[in-house]
Amino acid sequence: MARQLLALVLLIAFAHGFTLRTWEQAYALANATVANLTLTEKVGLLAGVGQFRSRCVGNTTPVPRLGIPAICMNDGPAGIRLVKNVTGFPSGINTAATFSRRLMQARGQAMAEEFKGKGIHVLLGPAMDLMRNPKAGRAWESFGPDPYLTGEGAYYTIAGIQSVGVQACAKHLAANNQEHWRYGLSAIIDDRTMHEMYFYPFLRAIEANVTSMMCAYNQQNGTSSCHNAGLMGPNGLIRSAGFQGYVMSDWGATHDSVADNANAGLDMEQPGDNIVIGGGVFGTGGGNLANAVNGGSVNVTRLNQMAARVLAGYYKLGQETGYPAVNFDAQHSDGSGSLNLGVSVRSEAHTALVREIGAASAVLLKNNRTTTTGTPSGATTRGLPLVQSRIKSMAVIGLDATYPNLSCNDLNECNDGTMSIGWGSGSNSLAFIVPPIKAIQDFVGTSATITTSLNNDLNAGPAAAKGKDVCIVFGNAMSGELGFYSTVVGNMGDRNDLALWWREGSLIEAVAAVCSNTIAVIHSVGPVNLSWSQHPNITAIIYAGAPGEQTGPSLVDVLYGAVNPGGRLPYSIDENEASYGTTIVYNSLGFPVVNYTEQLLIDYRYMDSKNIVPHYEFGFGLSYTTFGYSNLKITSTGSGSSSSVTVTFVVANTGAFAGTEKPQLYLAYPASAGEPKRVLRGFDEVGPLAVGASQTVTMSISAREMSIWDVITQAWVRPSGTFTVTVGASINDVRLTGTF
Ligand SMILES: *[C@@H]1O[C@H](CO)[C@@H](O)[C@H](O)[C@H]1NC(C)=O
Ligand SMILES: *[C@@H]1O[C@H](CO)[C@@H](O)[C@H](O)[C@H]1NC(C)=O
Ligand SMILES: *[C@@H]1O[C@H](CO)[C@@H](O)[C@H](O)[C@H]1NC(C)=O
Ligand SMILES: *[C@@H]1O[C@H](CO)[C@@H](O)[C@H](O)[C@H]1NC(C)=O
Ligand SMILES: *[C@@H]1O[C@H](CO)[C@@H](O)[C@H](O)[C@H]1NC(C)=O
Ligand SMILES: *[C@@H]1O[C@H](CO)[C@@H](O)[C@H](O)[C@H]1NC(C)=O
Ligand SMILES: *[C@@H]1O[C@H](CO)[C@@H](O)[C@H](O)[C@H]1NC(C)=O
Ligand SMILES: *[C@@H]1O[C@H](CO)[C@@H](O)[C@H](O)[C@H]1NC(C)=O
Ligand SMILES: *[C@@H]1O[C@H](CO)[C@@H](O)[C@H](O)[C@H]1NC(C)=O
Ligand SMILES: *[C@@H]1O[C@H](CO)[C@@H](O)[C@H](O)[C@H]1NC(C)=O
Ligand SMILES: *[C@@H]1O[C@H](CO)[C@@H](O)[C@H](O)[C@H]1NC(C)=O
């Protein structure tokens, strides 16, 4: 796999016309350049030029005499923000729901093609903070609560981004797990929990050769992340794990003296001035850093190291040759003032990819399909997929089915139409969206009458639904980043609860009371209360997440069966918040200490430990077909840190539709290891498999993936004893079991 990936990366690098270098080669160039820089030039590379003073959300000072441009950084993890006429990609959480490394990498590459087209050097993503609590405001930017799935999401996203010569920025180091109080709360995370949970995705990012990381707003152990040597110092987490790139601050996440930050391991400060909550430590353009070097509190060796790290990222991806000049203005949303919007970087291929990921991440939670016999025109079908020739009347109900206000602040801070992405710096600045109603109308044409009620009116919705062959009713839940501006309908970034917004649960129930073929579609950033799911008139539920701008077409693809829904839940869904075992600290007198006492037990790991069976479990998702599993074989080779285990089995399509299965491998450690009962350690995308077809699946478990973090020896250690492997269609839908 690694060799194939390297070959692919080199091939893509060649196709995109840049020189991909090893770290060694990059540092040879970086060191030579640093030797040639003045103090002023060095600090100019290490500090931002000030917020709103230049085009990108982050900028360094150029060195024209050596041809080094201002290094341009821009949000964010789901496409270029603050610029119109770019593609609105799916959220990280939907990408996780595909359980497809192929799509994780393809999304990273497609996003980066657009960043490069605009001349942006650093894509500020992927976000990889775990969903410690389901209400965490920014969790949708990332890949869910499971560290292994998040690690794979991080690795393949970075591989995709950097394959076209754009730098990725792994964020946020570390544990930016709630929005309330994030500017100073102190996370207390023990060493083992940090390594196995919150740091694990960063380890995978390092293995993907990520060139930069971003330190978080919050503190660790009472010390700001951006001057925390435990995270960034020579013996801290990331350097001990072999990270060779640079660390930049989150915007305004720096506090205290220049030396506190620089000597603890911070390499670059952004955006370069004080933005209310912090920042400006190095001085706009780096003047304070220069003074610190002249005064001796930061030594020249360290200064040179900082500059070399920044330049190494730039040289590693060959950005010194042929990189497009910045050709947009990110500091104002488009449409106001005189802006150079630059060329459109939307492409048909990217649109198709967004649509593909949207359908591949749609999770079919329920399907009670029944078909009456008779001639095709006389027969009726309830549930999914819909059969166009058998539907004469249809109702489409709910605010979430229609166009949102695409000009609702720079940060998408409204929920007034379909929810395709959350708000904040991880959002898109959509110029373009195809909402469900548009895609349904286009597809249905004149084959059926469509009655709409595109609001959440509890009388109009059922009135539209009455007597229809099928009623599609929408509900959503949104969250986002703690803004510098406002809360959204009382939600300060983190959601207040797990309810659908705007009483949409009541709307769904009111529609189901009058329509015996009700299809519920949920657009949500995370788990929501689905207490109505057993209603007998609700024949199907599609959990479509936050799928990006092609939300309508990707939904139509799964509604009508052009695509068999491929999404699996990247978290557990339960209406009871207590089932998750963690809380968001909302109320506090000053910045709170948040003690991660649950340690390794979040989401399904906690539920397992308490024998809680959630409403819908981690990894769950139905298909229009059925899959059979057989022939489990487990081969163990080597021992200790050089061991590995290979698991093979066969997946067969045993139903009546072609479809793609997402088999998952869970590992139960020997009891002495002190691990959760079961942990995800493998998944794959198998298919599309034609009816009757089968495929052998191979999953490898590396020594580290069978290890625990041993705090005494400070190493990954494989516990001795018997491991149990379960393979199945979700954590609870176990099909095959074996041991080694
Ligand atoms: C770059 O310089 C640093 C600091 O002097 C040194 O440790 C490193 O080996 C050099 N790397 C290369 C490739 O020259
Ligand atoms: C150093 O700068 C000089 C002149 O400014 C230039 O001729 C030389 O190529 C530079 N060397 C490097 C490694 O950038
Ligand atoms: C990371 O770099 C190493 C060494 O250059 C290479 O073997 C590996 O394939 C790279 N990984 C990715 C994801 O580019
Ligand atoms: C925080 O303190 C705990 C307990 O001493 C320690 O295990 C952990 O490594 C520290 N974290 C950091 C980032 O220094
Ligand atoms: C320079 O500063 C760093 C960070 O404080 C320190 O680790 C290192 O020992 C210093 N080096 C010299 C040569 O003084
Ligand atoms: C978006 O790009 C298209 C070309 O693809 C162009 O016709 C249109 O004017 C652009 N719109 C803006 C706002 O730049
Ligand atoms: C409806 O489907 C769900 C799963 O999709 C299943 O658990 C339930 O038994 C079905 N009910 C009927 C009446 O078929
Ligand atoms: C969209 O939101 C913007 C910003 O809040 C507001 O000025 C504008 O009136 C809204 N447009 C519509 C059609 O509601
Ligand atoms: C299901 O829908 C029918 C109308 O088609 C209605 O008569 C019936 O009461 C509904 N069932 C429930 C449980 O609401
Ligand atoms: C879930 O929502 C239903 C109403 O839609 C409500 O009655 C119930 O209390 C909610 N469950 C929880 C645990 O909040
Ligand atoms: C955090 O919780 C652990 C385990 O309950 C406890 O030992 C420790 O004292 C707590 N730390 C703080 C700062 O509350």
Side-chain angles (χ1 to χ4, degrees), residues 475-513:
N476 76 30
M478 193 179 188
S479 71
E481 184 175 14
L482 173 61
F484 295 100
Y485 316 100
S486 60
T487 61
V488 181
V489 196
N491 294 269
M492 235 175 83
D494 307 309
R495 284 186 285 161
N496 294 333
D497 51 44
L498 297 182
L500 288 170
W501 283 41
W502 315 123
R503 294 181 305 148
E504 285 157 343
S506 302
L507 178 70
I508 292 166
E509 288 178 295
V511 168

Short mmCIF file of all heavy atoms in Angstrom, two decimals, residues 475-513:
data_model
loop_
_atom_site.label_atom_id
_atom_site.label_comp_id
_atom_site.label_asym_id
_atom_site.label_seq_id
_atom_site.Cartn_x
_atom_site.Cartn_y
_atom_site.Cartn_z
N GLY A 475 -35.29 17.55 7.86
CA GLY A 475 -34.95 18.18 9.13
C GLY A 475 -33.44 18.36 9.22
O GLY A 475 -32.70 17.65 8.54
N ASN A 476 -32.99 19.30 10.06
CA ASN A 476 -31.54 19.49 10.15
C ASN A 476 -31.08 19.96 11.53
O ASN A 476 -31.89 20.31 12.40
CB ASN A 476 -31.03 20.42 9.04
CG ASN A 476 -31.32 21.89 9.25
OD1 ASN A 476 -31.41 22.37 10.39
ND2 ASN A 476 -31.47 22.63 8.17
N ALA A 477 -29.79 19.91 11.71
CA ALA A 477 -29.17 20.48 12.91
C ALA A 477 -27.79 20.99 12.49
O ALA A 477 -27.08 20.35 11.72
CB ALA A 477 -29.03 19.43 14.01
N MET A 478 -27.44 22.18 13.02
CA MET A 478 -26.23 22.86 12.57
C MET A 478 -25.42 23.29 13.78
O MET A 478 -25.95 23.47 14.88
CB MET A 478 -26.66 24.07 11.75
CG MET A 478 -25.59 24.75 10.95
SD MET A 478 -26.34 26.14 10.03
CE MET A 478 -24.97 26.61 8.99
N SER A 479 -24.14 23.48 13.57
CA SER A 479 -23.27 24.05 14.60
C SER A 479 -22.09 24.69 13.89
O SER A 479 -22.00 24.65 12.67
CB SER A 479 -22.81 22.98 15.59
OG SER A 479 -21.88 22.11 14.98
N GLY A 480 -21.18 25.26 14.64
CA GLY A 480 -20.06 25.90 13.98
C GLY A 480 -19.03 26.40 14.97
O GLY A 480 -18.98 26.00 16.13
N GLU A 481 -18.24 27.31 14.47
CA GLU A 481 -17.15 27.86 15.26
C GLU A 481 -17.67 29.00 16.13
O GLU A 481 -18.53 29.77 15.71
CB GLU A 481 -16.06 28.39 14.32
CG GLU A 481 -14.83 28.90 15.05
CD GLU A 481 -13.72 29.30 14.10
OE1 GLU A 481 -13.99 29.44 12.88
OE2 GLU A 481 -12.59 29.48 14.57
N LEU A 482 -17.13 29.06 17.33
CA LEU A 482 -17.41 30.20 18.19
C LEU A 482 -16.93 31.44 17.45
O LEU A 482 -15.75 31.61 17.22
CB LEU A 482 -16.64 30.03 19.49
CG LEU A 482 -16.66 31.19 20.47
CD1 LEU A 482 -18.06 31.50 20.95
CD2 LEU A 482 -15.76 30.88 21.65
N GLY A 483 -17.88 32.29 17.04
CA GLY A 483 -17.49 33.42 16.21
C GLY A 483 -16.93 34.55 17.02
O GLY A 483 -17.00 34.57 18.24
N PHE A 484 -16.36 35.51 16.32
CA PHE A 484 -16.02 36.77 16.95
C PHE A 484 -17.24 37.68 16.94
O PHE A 484 -17.22 38.78 17.43
CB PHE A 484 -14.85 37.43 16.23
CG PHE A 484 -13.58 36.64 16.33
CD1 PHE A 484 -13.16 35.84 15.29
CD2 PHE A 484 -12.82 36.69 17.48
CE1 PHE A 484 -11.99 35.11 15.39
CE2 PHE A 484 -11.65 35.95 17.59
CZ PHE A 484 -11.23 35.15 16.55
N TYR A 485 -18.31 37.21 16.30
CA TYR A 485 -19.48 38.06 16.06
C TYR A 485 -20.68 37.66 16.90
O TYR A 485 -21.12 38.39 17.76
CB TYR A 485 -19.87 38.01 14.57
CG TYR A 485 -18.70 38.11 13.64
CD1 TYR A 485 -18.16 36.97 13.04
CD2 TYR A 485 -18.10 39.33 13.39
CE1 TYR A 485 -17.07 37.07 12.20
CE2 TYR A 485 -17.00 39.42 12.55
CZ TYR A 485 -16.49 38.28 11.96
OH TYR A 485 -15.42 38.37 11.13
N SER A 486 -21.22 36.51 16.62
CA SER A 486 -22.53 36.22 17.20
C SER A 486 -22.71 34.74 17.44
O SER A 486 -21.93 33.91 17.00
CB SER A 486 -23.61 36.69 16.22
OG SER A 486 -23.45 36.00 15.00
N THR A 487 -23.77 34.45 18.16
CA THR A 487 -24.20 33.06 18.26
C THR A 487 -25.28 32.88 17.20
O THR A 487 -25.82 33.85 16.68
CB THR A 487 -24.81 32.79 19.64
OG1 THR A 487 -25.93 33.64 19.80
CG2 THR A 487 -23.81 33.06 20.75
N VAL A 488 -25.60 31.67 16.85
CA VAL A 488 -26.62 31.41 15.85
C VAL A 488 -27.80 30.75 16.55
O VAL A 488 -27.69 29.63 17.04
CB VAL A 488 -26.07 30.53 14.70
CG1 VAL A 488 -27.14 30.29 13.65
CG2 VAL A 488 -24.85 31.20 14.07
N VAL A 489 -28.89 31.49 16.59
CA VAL A 489 -30.11 31.02 17.26
C VAL A 489 -29.77 30.42 18.63
O VAL A 489 -30.19 29.32 18.98
CB VAL A 489 -30.89 30.02 16.37
CG1 VAL A 489 -32.32 29.84 16.87
CG2 VAL A 489 -30.93 30.49 14.93
N GLY A 490 -28.98 31.17 19.37
CA GLY A 490 -28.68 30.76 20.74
C GLY A 490 -27.61 29.70 20.89
O GLY A 490 -27.28 29.32 22.01
N ASN A 491 -27.06 29.22 19.77
CA ASN A 491 -26.00 28.21 19.85
C ASN A 491 -24.64 28.89 19.68
O ASN A 491 -24.32 29.40 18.61
CB ASN A 491 -26.18 27.15 18.76
CG ASN A 491 -27.44 26.32 18.96
OD1 ASN A 491 -27.43 25.29 19.61
ND2 ASN A 491 -28.54 26.83 18.41
N MET A 492 -23.86 28.90 20.76
CA MET A 492 -22.55 29.57 20.73
C MET A 492 -21.49 28.62 20.20
O MET A 492 -20.59 28.19 20.92
CB MET A 492 -22.20 30.00 22.16
CG MET A 492 -21.89 31.47 22.30
SD MET A 492 -21.63 31.87 24.03
CE MET A 492 -19.93 31.39 24.22
N GLY A 493 -21.61 28.28 18.94
CA GLY A 493 -20.69 27.31 18.36
C GLY A 493 -21.17 25.90 18.63
O GLY A 493 -21.73 25.24 17.75
N ASP A 494 -20.95 25.43 19.85
CA ASP A 494 -21.46 24.11 20.24
C ASP A 494 -22.99 24.12 20.22
O ASP A 494 -23.62 25.12 20.56
CB ASP A 494 -21.01 23.78 21.68
CG ASP A 494 -19.51 23.92 21.86
OD1 ASP A 494 -18.77 23.35 21.04
OD2 ASP A 494 -19.08 24.60 22.81
N ARG A 495 -23.57 23.00 19.85
CA ARG A 495 -25.03 22.91 19.93
C ARG A 495 -25.47 22.89 21.40
O ARG A 495 -24.75 22.39 22.26
CB ARG A 495 -25.53 21.63 19.23
CG ARG A 495 -25.51 21.73 17.72
CD ARG A 495 -26.15 20.51 17.09
NE ARG A 495 -25.28 19.33 17.15
CZ ARG A 495 -25.70 18.08 17.02
NH1 ARG A 495 -26.99 17.83 16.85
NH2 ARG A 495 -24.85 17.06 17.06
N ASN A 496 -26.65 23.41 21.65
CA ASN A 496 -27.19 23.39 23.00
C ASN A 496 -27.74 22.03 23.39
O ASN A 496 -27.81 21.69 24.57
CB ASN A 496 -28.31 24.42 23.14
CG ASN A 496 -27.78 25.84 23.01
OD1 ASN A 496 -26.61 26.10 23.30
ND2 ASN A 496 -28.62 26.74 22.54
N ASP A 497 -28.19 21.28 22.39
CA ASP A 497 -28.81 19.97 22.66
C ASP A 497 -28.74 19.15 21.37
O ASP A 497 -28.17 19.59 20.38
CB ASP A 497 -30.26 20.15 23.13
CG ASP A 497 -31.05 21.05 22.19
OD1 ASP A 497 -30.93 20.86 20.95
OD2 ASP A 497 -31.78 21.95 22.65
N LEU A 498 -29.34 17.98 21.41
CA LEU A 498 -29.31 17.09 20.24
C LEU A 498 -30.59 17.16 19.41
O LEU A 498 -30.83 16.31 18.55
CB LEU A 498 -29.06 15.64 20.68
CG LEU A 498 -27.72 15.36 21.38
CD1 LEU A 498 -27.61 13.86 21.72
CD2 LEU A 498 -26.54 15.78 20.52
N ALA A 499 -31.41 18.16 19.68
CA ALA A 499 -32.69 18.25 18.95
C ALA A 499 -32.47 18.73 17.52
O ALA A 499 -31.54 19.47 17.23
CB ALA A 499 -33.62 19.22 19.68
N LEU A 500 -33.37 18.31 16.63
CA LEU A 500 -33.43 18.93 15.31
C LEU A 500 -33.84 20.38 15.51
O LEU A 500 -34.55 20.72 16.46
CB LEU A 500 -34.45 18.21 14.43
CG LEU A 500 -34.04 16.82 13.94
CD1 LEU A 500 -35.22 16.12 13.29
CD2 LEU A 500 -32.86 16.90 12.98
N TRP A 501 -33.39 21.27 14.62
CA TRP A 501 -33.73 22.69 14.74
C TRP A 501 -35.18 22.93 14.34
O TRP A 501 -35.77 22.13 13.63
CB TRP A 501 -32.80 23.51 13.85
CG TRP A 501 -31.43 23.70 14.42
CD1 TRP A 501 -30.68 22.77 15.06
CD2 TRP A 501 -30.65 24.91 14.39
NE1 TRP A 501 -29.47 23.32 15.43
CE2 TRP A 501 -29.43 24.62 15.03
CE3 TRP A 501 -30.86 26.18 13.88
CZ2 TRP A 501 -28.41 25.59 15.17
CZ3 TRP A 501 -29.86 27.13 14.02
CH2 TRP A 501 -28.65 26.83 14.66
N TRP A 502 -35.67 24.05 14.75
CA TRP A 502 -36.96 24.57 14.27
C TRP A 502 -38.10 23.56 14.47
O TRP A 502 -38.97 23.46 13.64
CB TRP A 502 -36.88 24.96 12.79
CG TRP A 502 -35.69 25.73 12.34
CD1 TRP A 502 -34.81 25.38 11.35
CD2 TRP A 502 -35.25 27.01 12.79
NE1 TRP A 502 -33.86 26.35 11.18
CE2 TRP A 502 -34.08 27.36 12.05
CE3 TRP A 502 -35.70 27.92 13.77
CZ2 TRP A 502 -33.38 28.54 12.24
CZ3 TRP A 502 -34.98 29.09 13.96
CH2 TRP A 502 -33.86 29.39 13.20
N ARG A 503 -38.08 22.78 15.55
CA ARG A 503 -39.13 21.78 15.83
C ARG A 503 -39.35 20.83 14.64
O ARG A 503 -40.48 20.42 14.36
CB ARG A 503 -40.46 22.48 16.18
CG ARG A 503 -40.38 23.26 17.50
CD ARG A 503 -41.72 23.89 17.81
NE ARG A 503 -42.16 24.73 16.69
CZ ARG A 503 -43.41 24.94 16.34
NH1 ARG A 503 -44.38 24.38 17.02
NH2 ARG A 503 -43.72 25.72 15.32
N GLU A 504 -38.30 20.50 13.95
CA GLU A 504 -38.46 19.66 12.76
C GLU A 504 -38.82 18.21 13.10
O GLU A 504 -39.39 17.51 12.27
CB GLU A 504 -37.21 19.73 11.88
CG GLU A 504 -37.16 21.05 11.12
CD GLU A 504 -35.78 21.47 10.69
OE1 GLU A 504 -34.79 20.93 11.22
OE2 GLU A 504 -35.67 22.37 9.83
N GLY A 505 -38.50 17.78 14.32
CA GLY A 505 -38.97 16.45 14.75
C GLY A 505 -40.49 16.42 14.77
O GLY A 505 -41.11 15.45 14.32
N SER A 506 -41.09 17.51 15.25
CA SER A 506 -42.55 17.59 15.27
C SER A 506 -43.10 17.63 13.85
O SER A 506 -44.15 17.04 13.55
CB SER A 506 -43.00 18.84 16.02
OG SER A 506 -42.51 18.82 17.34
N LEU A 507 -42.41 18.33 12.97
CA LEU A 507 -42.86 18.40 11.57
C LEU A 507 -42.86 17.00 10.95
O LEU A 507 -43.82 16.60 10.28
CB LEU A 507 -41.94 19.33 10.77
CG LEU A 507 -42.28 19.44 9.27
CD1 LEU A 507 -43.58 20.21 9.08
CD2 LEU A 507 -41.14 20.13 8.51
N ILE A 508 -41.79 16.27 11.19
CA ILE A 508 -41.69 14.92 10.62
C ILE A 508 -42.82 14.05 11.15
O ILE A 508 -43.49 13.33 10.39
CB ILE A 508 -40.30 14.32 10.93
CG1 ILE A 508 -39.21 15.09 10.14
CG2 ILE A 508 -40.25 12.83 10.59
CD1 ILE A 508 -37.79 14.83 10.59
N GLU A 509 -43.08 14.14 12.45
CA GLU A 509 -44.17 13.34 13.03
C GLU A 509 -45.54 13.76 12.48
O GLU A 509 -46.40 12.92 12.22
CB GLU A 509 -44.15 13.44 14.55
CG GLU A 509 -42.99 12.68 15.16
CD GLU A 509 -42.92 12.80 16.67
OE1 GLU A 509 -42.69 13.93 17.17
OE2 GLU A 509 -43.07 11.78 17.35
N ALA A 510 -45.73 15.06 12.29
CA ALA A 510 -47.02 15.56 11.77
C ALA A 510 -47.23 15.07 10.34
O ALA A 510 -48.36 14.73 9.95
CB ALA A 510 -47.05 17.09 11.84
N VAL A 511 -46.17 15.03 9.57
CA VAL A 511 -46.30 14.53 8.19
C VAL A 511 -46.58 13.03 8.21
O VAL A 511 -47.45 12.53 7.49
CB VAL A 511 -45.02 14.87 7.39
CG1 VAL A 511 -44.99 14.12 6.05
CG2 VAL A 511 -44.92 16.38 7.15
N ALA A 512 -45.86 12.31 9.07
CA ALA A 512 -46.04 10.85 9.12
C ALA A 512 -47.45 10.47 9.56
O ALA A 512 -47.95 9.40 9.19
CB ALA A 512 -45.01 10.23 10.06
N ALA A 513 -48.08 11.35 10.32
CA ALA A 513 -49.44 11.04 10.80
C ALA A 513 -50.45 10.98 9.67
O ALA A 513 -51.50 10.36 9.81
CB ALA A 513 -49.87 12.08 11.83
#
